[in-house]
Amino acid sequence: MSYVNMEAILQHARKNHYAVGAFNIVNYLTAKAAVEAAEELNQNIIIQTSVKTVKAFGIHEMMSFLKPIAENAQVKVAIHLDHSTDVEFTKACIDGGWSSVMYDGSQLPLADNIKNTMAIVAYAKLKNVTVEGELGAIVGVEDDIVVKEGDHAHAKPADCRTYLKETGVAAFAPAIGTAHGVYKGEIKIDYDLFEEINAFSLCPLVLHGGTGLSDEMFHRLIGLGASKVNISTAIKIAYCQGMAAFSKENPAQNDPLKLDAFTKQEVKKVVTEHIRFFSRID
């Protein structure tokens, strides 16, 4: 079966010291482009949906076109809900067919984050759905979650131990200095913190805010145990700038299918580049 949850994909990545790309898609075109890129490289993939995107389409409407893409793929595909802060909405997506969800309670007190995450993990297990959790605050904008510079906080190892032990999440995203969106200024990543957390974590670690990191940063973090790398902004840029470029180069062209075909290739290029890098394919 090609449509899977994240557990087998990420455990294999962690064991074999590479990372799986998790790409935030915005519609059928970007989802298809991402999966086709993965198929051409024969690499597993995670396609992610933001809460905002799901609400724009509707839970059942979005899954109606995402699930066939995953089920017909020649590689393993997980469909993941990214950064949901609402317990009931997260459960609704589990019921709607998502194979993996992220509950983001990182802005709550630790006890409340643990309580909510535990409830979602218990609910998800009934449907063989995996859960990702987060601690610390990652600066930037992701969906409608805004963390201003100066408000971010790195995850604390002691809190991480407690959280992981109590919740039993299948993947864990600790805040270590990466950011959502386009980076502004110097990027300061706490590699030692990431390495320390990975050493005691029983589940694979997730790197958020991957767009804009240097090759050296990626290599180092994957070497230290990052098994899932989230790419969102790069997909949005490829999609929007692809459309703009086609229209500029072809001002008299009004064929939507040609516009879509060009844009799809631009998105595929970005996905292919990242998968090659994360999987260490020459």
Side-chain angles (χ1 to χ4, degrees):
M1 182 179 178
S2 57
Y3 182 34
V4 300
N5 63 36
M6 292 198 309
E7 188 166 17
I9 294 178
L10 295 187
Q11 289 291 351
H12 184 272
R14 191 184 201 196
K15 181 179 179 180
N16 291 280
H17 310 292
Y18 69 94
V20 178
F23 301 92
N24 282 59
I25 56 87
V26 296
N27 53 20
Y28 179 89
L29 184 152
T30 49
K32 189 67 174 173
V35 172
E36 284 184 5
E39 289 178 315
E40 290 173 8
L41 296 172
N42 194 31
Q43 296 292 315
N44 300 325
I45 189 172
I46 299 164
I47 52 177
Q48 298 190 152
T49 58
S50 71
V51 171
K52 180 188 292 185
T53 303
V54 178
K55 288 183 176 179
F57 281 94
I59 289 175
H60 299 294
E61 291 82 358
M62 189 159 206
M63 189 52 62
S64 71
F65 67 79
L66 287 182
K67 196 167 185 179
I69 294 175
E71 290 179 331
N72 294 320
Q74 300 303 307
V75 295
K76 292 180 180 178
V77 180
I79 299 178
H80 181 67
L81 177 68
D82 195 27
H83 283 286
S84 177
T85 59
D86 186 305
V87 172
E88 294 308 313
F89 184 80
T90 306
K91 289 181 178 179
C93 287
I94 292 171
D95 293 337
W98 270 252
S99 65
S100 175
V101 296
M102 178 196 181
Y103 173 69
D104 183 357
S106 60
Q107 296 192 36
L108 298 174
L110 179 62
D112 292 336
N113 189 359
I114 289 174
K115 179 183 176 181
N116 291 351
T117 305
M118 287 176 64
I120 291 171
V121 169
Y123 192 83
K125 281 184 178 179
L126 299 174
K127 298 201 173 186
N128 194 33
V129 171
T130 44
V131 179
E132 175 186 333
E134 179 178 324
L135 277 188
I138 300 173
V139 70
V141 180
E142 179 70 15
D143 206 3
D144 288 323
I145 304 171
V146 180
V147 179
K148 296 180 180 179
E149 192 72 48
D151 292 339
H152 70 286
H154 290 186
K156 298 177 182 178
D159 290 346
C160 292
R161 286 180 182 273
T162 301
Y163 179 88
L164 290 168
K165 180 180 179 180
E166 295 293 329
T167 64
V169 290
F172 179 55
I176 58 165
T178 55
H180 292 131
V182 178
Y183 285 95
K184 298 177 181 179
E186 184 182 0
I187 304 173
K188 298 180 180 179
I189 297 174
D190 192 334
Y191 297 101
D192 291 339
L193 174 62
F194 194 78
E195 183 176 23
E196 179 182 356
I197 295 170
N198 185 61
F200 63 71
S201 176
L202 296 179
C203 69
L205 297 191
V206 180
L207 177 64
H208 284 238
T211 297
L213 296 183
S214 68
D215 289 0
E216 190 276 333
M217 290 173 176
F218 275 130
H219 271 308
R220 189 170 177 183
L221 288 165
I222 292 171
L224 292 174
S227 302
K228 172 178 179 274
V229 180
N230 288 12
I231 300 295
S232 176
T233 303
I235 300 298
K236 296 173 185 175
I237 291 173
Y239 181 72
C240 293
Q241 292 188 358
M243 284 193 168
F246 180 86
S247 297
K248 183 177 181 179
E249 293 170 11
N250 305 276
Q253 179 59 258
N254 295 303
D255 186 340
L257 293 179
K258 291 183 178 180
L259 171 64
D260 284 353
F262 180 89
T263 305
K264 182 180 177 184
Q265 288 303 312
E266 294 303 295
V267 174
K268 279 184 71 172
K269 288 177 186 177
V270 170
V271 175
T272 298
E273 178 184 355
H274 283 90
I275 292 178
R276 281 186 175 278
F277 191 82
F278 300 156
S279 302
R280 306 192 180 194
I281 300 172
D282 295 329

